[in-house]
Amino acid sequence: MSQLLPFKLGAEVYALELIDVQEIVEHCQLHPIPGVPETVLGAIGFHGRIVPAIDLPLLLGFPAGLRSERMIVLTDEHGPVALVVDQLLRIITLDLVHSVLSQSDSEKDCIRGVLNRSGQMISMLDLAQLRLLLQQICTGNGDRK
Amino acid sequence: MDIEKYRKMFLSEAAEHLQNMAKQLVAVEADPEDGEGINSLFREAHSIKGMAATMGFDATTRLAHHLEDRLAEFRGKGQISSEMIDRLLAGVDLLEGLLEDIAQGEQERDVDLFIHGEQLALIELEPLDSAEEDDACCDLASNRMLIRLLLDESVVAPGPRLLVLLNRVAEFGTVLETTPSEENLLQGEISRTLLVQLETEIPQQEILKRLECYRELSKIEFPAAVLEEETARNKPGRVSATSTVRVDTDLLDRFINLTGELITNRYQLQSAAGEKDWTELNEGLGQLARLVKSLHHQVLQVRMMPLESVTGRLPRTVRDLCRSSGKEVRLEVLGASLEIDRSILEALTDPLTHMIRNAIDHGIAKQGTVQIKAWRERDQILIQVADDGRGIDPEMVRQRALDSNLISPGQAQTMRDFETYQLLCLPGFTTKEQVTETSGRGVGMDVVKSVVEKLGGVLLIDSNLGKGTRVTMKLPLSVAIIRVLLVLCDGSLLGIPITRILQTVEVEPGEVQTSGKQLAISLHGELIPLLSLRKIMQRPKGPGKTMLSLVITEVFGRKVGLVVDRLQGQQEVFVQSLPSPFDQLRGTGGGAILGDGRIMFLFDLQSKLEGRRAKGA
């Protein structure tokens, strides 16, 4: 039985599997990283480590809005990287979830698949694609602007 | 038995034995009657044989056995001939190649040729230490050639770049093999070097010319024709040496003791906090500071390796160079037991070899001494390579730099000698009229300098015409902890390594002069151009100030003044790199969390500017 951490990006609900989440941090001070694209909000001190924080809505093309004070820090396997989202929702367990909709094949939206939870559509965030996106941002830094 | 677990151990131990053998062989050559030397050679070969047999590495076992047999004969005779030393050294090289194969998880290469003596001729034909930048021995194997491409440090996406270059190379002929393989590159393997085995009819010069237009390439080499020999000679042990560390049990005991004390300390702090006993809490914190400092010190100890692990290879290099150049050079190593952080040491292997080559090739005319000296000065390590050869004529260097348009006539006049020697480190500079096979087209000192600077150190060159040359590397004790100057730029906290800074000054805006579009200040009679940190970081202009804070540093060999918002003092920081892929962001070297929780990022002016140049191009 797997657990999901849903969160809002704009009007949509996305979710991560809890197993990919290392910690949820609150009121973390953001320190600017010099010379980074605007999707990288800065860095946080996370248990003595420097972890970059990403503006996930902006990265995925959602409009600017009120960002949550809390950040999701992914496990070391996926970074570590801190994701800033619009709003965090309550954790849900998968057996309450109904049918998985078709796999998304769009490359840009980082969606691994869509769940239908009693009418509520939840997009599963594709971490592999997210990583590719981040990679592009970091290496393409010199080419932008 | 889980072989995998023991493989690394085998590799590092075998590499050690091999290094001893190479060293011992050179020593025995100098004193052929050294019976004890031959004995110890025999023992080393025997150990390798035993270890390889246990691990089931058949070819390695057979070769070690073969060498052991030969050594046994000489043990009987009590002496050894010079030709045999060559053959044994070749055997050691081949063994290193085998270890390399094993490290890569590949099939061991063939040893029968060698054992049956046929390879002897082949190896003798080649110059014994074919230099990396050696372009003389190409085209050996009919129309096959090896090309090694080295990407510049500033290239942001090395993998894809290499793929593009590989396609380019493929147009010249048929690509037989590449390292890393195309497949691995496609899968995102990150590498800055690409070794291509190419079958082609285009001559090497032509290929060089066509590739030279790619500015992202920092080096294009055509290594010697025999792939195995090349890889075996240049990389042995380095791959395996990094994987395991041997730690003194004493040190481990001290770790345990420290951990124990830390646990006690933890409970002390916990109870003090519970009782809100501030005196006790303060005391506990003081103790914690002491324990952490001690732990840090001990951990650094584990990372330390004696300089000898690098210089140990040099007698062999010197010997080979002597043989190929007909010079008589004595190598002296002082301070080989000095301990240095292993990551620094590993980076020094190539620069040291370069420096030795330079000393022998450019410095020493017929016979002389090359001395390597290492010592500590406060929190820096100094390693000096000195020769008693002909020295460098600053006039000639100036002239040469003028001729190749590296400096202007005005610069040439005002340049002082010690600055002049720094010109030797410019890419493409060489003082030698004739390009020789050992130190070729002026690649070398620029590589040395960039390695040293990457480690946060500085390179000094000093010479006395007719008396000799001294090249000194000043290096930090450890890479992880460095001293930085903190500066502010539009709210961002940046750290500039102290070793990069010439001085800091505060000037009034009135002192700033304009020469053309460039702002500059005059310092000790020297006009120094100014750069704005805010502008470089693409931040808005700051408010006008009554005093300008300047950091004087060097970029591309020239002094510049970096205008910063504010200087915030020096500090020792523990640098950590950002997690992947953020470590690839240009101009962001890594960061550190300061005591007050603020995060500082290292700022590397040169790479930042190089990035802008590349973008503009």
Side-chain angles (χ1 to χ4, degrees):
Chain A
M1 185 175 65
S2 96
Q3 291 186 302
L4 299 183
L5 172 67
F7 52 87
K8 274 184 128 171
L9 300 180
E12 288 184 39
V13 178
Y14 274 67
L16 277 166
E17 280 192 63
L18 212 52
I19 201 162
D20 294 323
V21 177
Q22 177 160 185
E23 206 170 304
I24 290 169
V25 292
E26 227 169 330
H27 305 296
C28 242
Q29 187 171 358
L30 272 171
H31 303 267
I33 309 181
V36 293
E38 54 183 350
T39 37
V40 184
L41 291 170
I44 59 169
F46 180 73
H47 302 303
R49 292 161 78 185
I50 300 175
V51 174
I54 301 299
D55 189 334
L56 191 61
L58 186 66
L59 182 72
L60 300 184
F62 288 93
L66 207 56
R67 305 285 188 245
S68 164
E69 287 266 302
R70 295 186 287 180
M71 295 179 213
I72 305 167
V73 180
L74 298 180
T75 52
D76 292 2
E77 192 189 333
H78 301 288
V81 59
L83 301 178
V84 176
V85 299
D86 287 344
Q87 193 193 342
L88 280 172
L89 304 171
R90 290 175 75 99
I91 292 171
I92 49 176
T93 30
L94 253 192
D95 56 356
L96 296 174
V97 174
H98 304 275
S99 70
V100 178
L101 255 122
S102 67
Q103 299 278 312
S104 159
D105 52 8
S106 162
E107 295 212 338
K108 277 211 178 113
D109 52 8
C110 279
I111 297 172
R112 190 153 57 93
V114 181
L115 308 173
N116 183 349
R117 184 177 178 247
S118 11
Q120 164 83 280
M121 307 303 262
I122 302 176
S123 307
M124 291 300 299
L125 191 69
D126 187 335
L127 288 176
Q129 261 186 36
L130 178 70
R131 195 179 167 81
L132 276 178
L133 264 183
L134 292 177
Q135 182 101 36
Q136 275 169 23
I137 289 181
C138 292
T139 54
N141 186 28
D143 303 325
R144 285 156 56 100
K145 288 175 197 167
Chain B
M1 181 171 77
D2 179 11
I3 283 281
E4 196 45 43
K5 220 169 84 190
Y6 296 97
R7 200 176 65 165
K8 283 185 183 163
M9 223 191 285
F10 162 76
L11 284 170
S12 78
E13 273 190 40
E16 240 170 75
H17 286 298
L18 277 181
Q19 209 180 324
N20 285 342
M21 275 186 85
K23 213 159 74 182
Q24 199 74 64
L25 277 167
V26 178
V28 168
E29 185 181 34
D31 178 13
E33 313 268 301
D34 180 6
E36 186 40 45
I38 301 176
N39 270 336
S40 95
L41 275 169
F42 174 81
R43 284 194 299 270
E44 301 282 1
H46 183 77
S47 308
I48 297 172
K49 181 184 80 174
M51 280 163 25
T54 317
M55 297 291 295
F57 297 127
D58 182 49
T60 309
T61 315
R62 270 190 300 141
L63 180 56
H65 181 74
H66 172 73
L67 295 181
E68 187 190 335
D69 272 357
R70 306 311 305 261
L71 284 162
E73 289 168 26
F74 300 118
R75 193 149 76 138
K77 284 190 211 153
Q79 61 170 354
I80 202 161
S81 71
S82 185
E83 294 74 49
M84 267 331 286
I85 297 268
D86 277 344
R87 167 128 172 103
L88 289 168
L89 280 172
V92 169
D93 284 346
L94 188 56
L95 272 175
E96 288 188 339
L98 287 162
L99 292 187
E100 184 76 8
D101 291 343
I102 294 168
Q104 306 289 339
E106 283 165 13
Q107 183 92 35
E108 291 169 282
R109 61 193 63 175
D110 186 61
V111 295
D112 291 327
L113 258 181
F114 180 86
I115 293 178
H116 300 123
E118 285 167 50
Q119 201 157 349
L120 180 60
L122 211 158
I123 284 167
E124 290 262 288
L125 272 178
E126 278 187 37
L128 269 165
D129 205 335
S130 41
E132 277 172 60
E133 65 274 15
D134 183 355
D135 58 352
C137 55
C138 56
D139 306 332
L140 269 183
S142 64
N143 51 356
R144 281 189 187 186
M145 74 171 75
L146 275 177
I147 308 173
R148 185 187 295 131
L149 303 174
L150 204 75
L151 281 184
D152 195 83
E153 283 300 321
S154 61
V155 174
V156 278
R161 246 1 269 179
L162 285 179
L163 278 171
V164 172
L165 289 165
L166 179 56
N167 282 337
R168 221 55 251 280
V169 172
E171 290 168 16
F172 303 147
T174 319
V175 173
L176 301 174
E177 203 187 335
T178 71
T179 335
S181 69
E182 191 174 356
E183 209 175 334
N184 286 351
L185 282 173
L186 280 170
Q187 281 164 3
E189 180 176 327
I190 292 174
S191 165
R192 291 201 176 268
T193 56
L194 179 70
L195 191 67
V196 185
Q197 201 177 357
L198 185 73
E199 201 166 344
T200 176
E201 281 160 28
I202 304 173
Q204 183 193 319
Q205 285 305 325
E206 182 62 28
I207 289 185
L208 180 65
K209 226 162 84 193
R210 290 197 209 173
L211 286 174
E212 260 171 354
C213 58
Y214 294 97
R215 288 186 37 210
E216 67 263 37
L217 284 172
S218 66
K219 225 195 225 175
I220 303 164
E221 295 169 350
F222 298 87
V226 189
L227 177 64
E228 286 79 16
E229 291 296 320
E230 173 68 14
T231 43
R233 191 162 293 144
N234 283 320
K235 296 194 288 185
R238 228 179 301 166
V239 182
S240 43
T242 48
S243 41
T244 55
V245 190
R246 284 210 227 156
V247 182
D248 199 344
T249 42
D250 269 3
L251 207 52
L252 277 183
D253 289 346
R254 268 180 270 159
F255 276 136
I256 285 293
N257 290 341
L258 267 175
T259 319
E261 285 185 60
L262 277 168
I263 292 172
T264 317
N265 180 251
R266 189 209 124 166
Y267 286 111
Q268 185 190 351
L269 283 172
Q270 207 169 22
S271 85
E275 286 162 28
K276 297 197 168 60
D277 181 345
W278 302 122
T279 351
E280 184 73 15
L281 197 62
N282 264 330
E283 221 166 82
L285 283 173
Q287 204 160 5
L288 181 65
R290 183 184 62 81
L291 288 172
V292 169
K293 195 170 168 196
S294 170
L295 184 64
H296 174 217
H297 178 76
Q298 309 283 0
V299 171
L300 281 185
Q301 281 300 308
V302 180
R303 295 179 55 88
M304 293 296 191
M305 269 165 51
L307 180 66
E308 198 177 8
S309 55
V310 170
T311 55
R313 310 184 64 79
L314 295 175
R316 167 76 195 280
T317 312
V318 171
R319 169 197 181 270
D320 291 350
L321 281 170
C322 285
R323 291 203 67 154
S324 63
S325 65
K327 293 178 185 176
E328 235 175 86
V329 182
R330 217 161 51 86
L331 178 73
E332 267 178 24
V333 183
L334 297 176
S337 58
L338 189 74
E339 300 213 312
I340 304 175
D341 192 287
R342 59 190 303 120
S343 51
I344 293 184
L345 210 51
E346 270 152 25
L348 285 183
T349 314
D350 287 344
L352 264 179
T353 316
H354 272 305
M355 287 154 82
I356 296 278
R357 273 200 192 117
N358 272 332
I360 295 178
D361 204 40
H362 298 293
I364 290 168
K366 207 77 207 110
Q367 70 184 113
T369 308
V370 174
Q371 189 193 57
I372 300 176
K373 201 167 113 189
W375 71 100
R376 236 181 105 160
E377 249 176 49
R378 284 188 298 148
D379 52 356
Q380 278 191 316
I381 293 221
L382 285 89
I383 301 175
Q384 186 176 75
V385 175
D387 65 67
D388 56 0
R390 49 194 155 212
I392 306 168
D393 182 356
E395 274 317 312
M396 196 182 83
V397 176
R398 247 167 250 162
Q399 196 52 46
R400 194 43 79 96
L402 261 177
D403 293 348
S404 8
N405 280 328
L406 293 167
I407 52 170
S408 68
Q411 274 176 305
Q413 282 201 335
T414 53
M415 203 170 255
R416 275 168 282 181
D417 283 357
F418 73 93
E419 289 173 306
T420 311
Y421 296 130
Q422 288 293 325
L423 291 173
L424 296 172
C425 300
L426 290 176
F429 196 93
T430 178
T431 53
K432 185 116 185 177
E433 304 284 339
Q434 210 109 56
V435 169
T436 73
E437 60 186 29
T438 35
S439 33
R441 310 166 296 210
V443 202
M445 285 318 285
D446 59 324
V447 176
V448 175
K449 185 172 172 156
S450 75
V451 169
V452 169
E453 287 185 350
K454 244 186 104 180
L455 294 170
V458 280
L459 184 74
L460 305 170
I461 304 175
D462 180 25
S463 186
N464 251 334
L465 197 53
K467 292 212 174 119
T469 306
R470 283 193 303 271
V471 185
T472 313
M473 302 186 278
K474 273 193 180 182
L475 300 160
L477 265 186
S478 143
V479 273
I481 296 194
I482 58 171
R483 218 173 163 74
V484 296
L485 174 75
L486 296 172
V487 301
L488 266 183
C489 167
D490 191 29
S492 295
L493 193 59
L494 299 174
I496 306 175
I498 288 294
T499 46
R500 287 291 180 91
I501 298 173
L502 301 171
Q503 73 179 110
T504 58
V505 281
E506 302 226 300
V507 296
E508 284 173 27
E511 292 177 54
V512 177
Q513 314 167 7
T514 33
S515 77
K517 270 166 79 183
Q518 180 66 59
L519 296 178
I521 57 151
S522 168
L523 201 68
H524 312 307
E526 199 178 351
L527 205 60
I528 297 174
L530 297 184
L531 290 173
S532 155
L533 184 55
R534 277 187 182 243
K535 206 163 163 193
I536 293 168
M537 302 306 295
Q538 296 172 338
R539 300 291 176 89
K541 261 198 160 144
K545 281 186 302 184
T546 50
M547 276 309 235
L548 290 177
S549 304
L550 299 182
V551 178
I552 311 292
T553 170
E554 236 182 29
V555 199
F556 306 116
R558 289 179 55 202
K559 277 187 196 170
V560 296
L562 192 66
V563 185
V564 303
D565 287 6
R566 197 138 50 95
L567 303 173
Q568 291 229 306
Q570 293 185 17
Q571 210 175 93
E572 264 187 352
V573 295
F574 172 70
V575 178
Q576 41 179 310
S577 54
L578 286 175
S580 160
F582 301 94
D583 51 351
Q584 291 169 35
L585 285 164
R586 182 187 294 286
T588 314
I593 302 181
L594 304 183
D596 56 10
R598 285 187 301 170
I599 298 181
M600 163 230 95
F601 287 93
L602 283 182
F603 176 72
D604 182 2
L605 182 60
Q606 185 145 336
S607 87
K608 191 85 194 168
L609 290 178
E610 272 165 9
R612 290 209 313 187
R613 276 190 177 181
K615 207 159 53 167

